[in-house]
Amino acid sequence: MCWCLSPYEQEKVRELKEIRQMNNDFAWMLCDYLNNSPCLITKELMASVNPERILSEETVYGILLSGFCGLNVENNESDRQFADNYFRVALKKLDTKQYAQNPFYQNIVIPNVQFGHWELKYQKYMPYETFIYKDYVMKPHFREMPNIGFFDEEFQYPVVLEDNREWMAIKPSEIETSQAAIDSAEGNVITFGLGLGYFAYMASLKHQVKSITVVEHNYQVVQLFEQYILPQFQHKEKIKIVTADAFEYAEKLLPQENFDFAFVDLWHDVSDGLDMYFKMKKLEKYNPKTRFLYWIEDSILSNFRWQIFDYVVSNAKSYDEIIKCLSKQSLQKQATLETVSYHW
């Protein structure tokens, strides 16, 4: 810690470090539960805990989930406060009917087919299964947490598997985390990353969108999409598929074209996204007229924020400077620079 900070500022930094630790604790608890036992909470368990339905389902679910994640909310005040600050804030009961009305679900039928190493099919969430449905919640002082959801009934969603490993799925998380880009898309649009074509389909429905160029490096994925999914698009005439490396295209070809909006969706999750995010952000300077949006950017920037946290704290001249350097706007600016610089 930089000892030029006042005692008050040093105490505020210690609070930030405690929040960082709590963020990590919550993430690890949730990750362990999701990876090993996401279906422990069932309809029968919910009913047995709350037979007269005095409490809301979200309240009961939060108590059960925090308990399965190792917290003793009944007898430990610290655990109870932790559960209130994280599990209760992050948790939401979702409505299957709301998602079932999505145009992609309504109009695109995914066949059950094998295609080389690839497979198209439907999978499902079980009633009361726990899953992440949205990008990070950001609370004051950088208290962060992923949004947790559950349904009270079974919910099917389309998925593409590569060698039996999920490569892409149109889950509620895909719908929620793509919505900002769909809302922003207009004019001539380019998207890096094809997946099952969710963004391309939803953007093509907008009259403000004239064309959509999809850049995808995997030829088999393009074949699968063009054979089974694209023919079902109402506005397939708006879609152009380019088989190319996203970064080479963005550096060499994109500046010669006239795109109004770009959506970058190249990574599976936060674990493999940060380096690719940096790489594409640095290419924005070649395309000043194009507005860029990035999939799960808040989660990726959270990863970046806590990687540089100790360095920022050690070199900042004030607490306000620390907060500024860790803000979303500053992190986005840092990502565009060839060399990271934390002071300006």
Side-chain angles (χ1 to χ4, degrees), residues 2 59-60 97 126-127 164 176 182 199 211 233 251 284 331:
C2 179
T59 299
V60 175
K97 298 181 181 61
M126 300 301 294
N164 292 318
E176 297 286 355
I182 294 165
F199 169 79
S211 68
F233 280 31
E251 181 177 3
E284 285 187 19
L331 296 176

Side-chain angles (χ1 to χ4, degrees), residues 99 275 321 324:
Y99 289 100
D275 288 343
E321 184 181 358
K324 178 183 177 182

Side-chain angles (χ1 to χ4, degrees), residues 268-329:
H268 289 289
D269 53 38
V270 175
S271 64
D272 69 335
L274 188 58
D275 288 343
M276 285 188 278
Y277 175 78
F278 283 162
K279 193 171 182 179
M280 188 62 78
K281 286 290 287 183
K282 289 174 174 56
L283 297 176
E284 285 187 19
K285 64 178 178 288
Y286 299 118
N287 304 280
K289 295 182 179 180
T290 303
R291 181 189 176 193
F292 284 74
L293 256 68
Y294 294 81
W295 184 61
I296 61 169
E297 184 177 23
D298 286 341
S299 295
I300 287 175
L301 290 177
S302 172
N303 188 348
F304 184 31
R305 175 179 295 115
W306 299 114
Q307 283 190 23
I308 67 172
F309 176 78
D310 289 329
Y311 181 89
V312 170
V313 167
S314 297
N315 290 274
K317 299 298 188 291
S318 69
Y319 180 76
D320 287 342
E321 184 181 358
I322 292 171
I323 296 302
K324 178 183 177 182
C325 289
L326 299 177
S327 69
K328 179 176 180 176
Q329 293 76 16

Side-chain angles (χ1 to χ4, degrees), residues 207-246:
H207 71 272
Q208 302 98 320
V209 172
K210 298 177 182 178
S211 68
I212 303 167
T213 298
V214 182
V215 179
E216 170 59 52
H217 78 281
N218 192 306
Y219 180 66
Q220 285 190 312
V221 172
V222 172
Q223 282 187 304
L224 182 149
F225 174 76
E226 290 182 331
Q227 183 171 347
Y228 296 107
I229 301 176
L230 181 58
Q232 300 181 63
F233 280 31
Q234 292 99 307
H235 299 287
K236 61 180 74 67
E237 74 281 355
K238 292 185 178 182
I239 308 298
K240 176 185 176 182
I241 310 294
V242 177
T243 306
D245 177 82

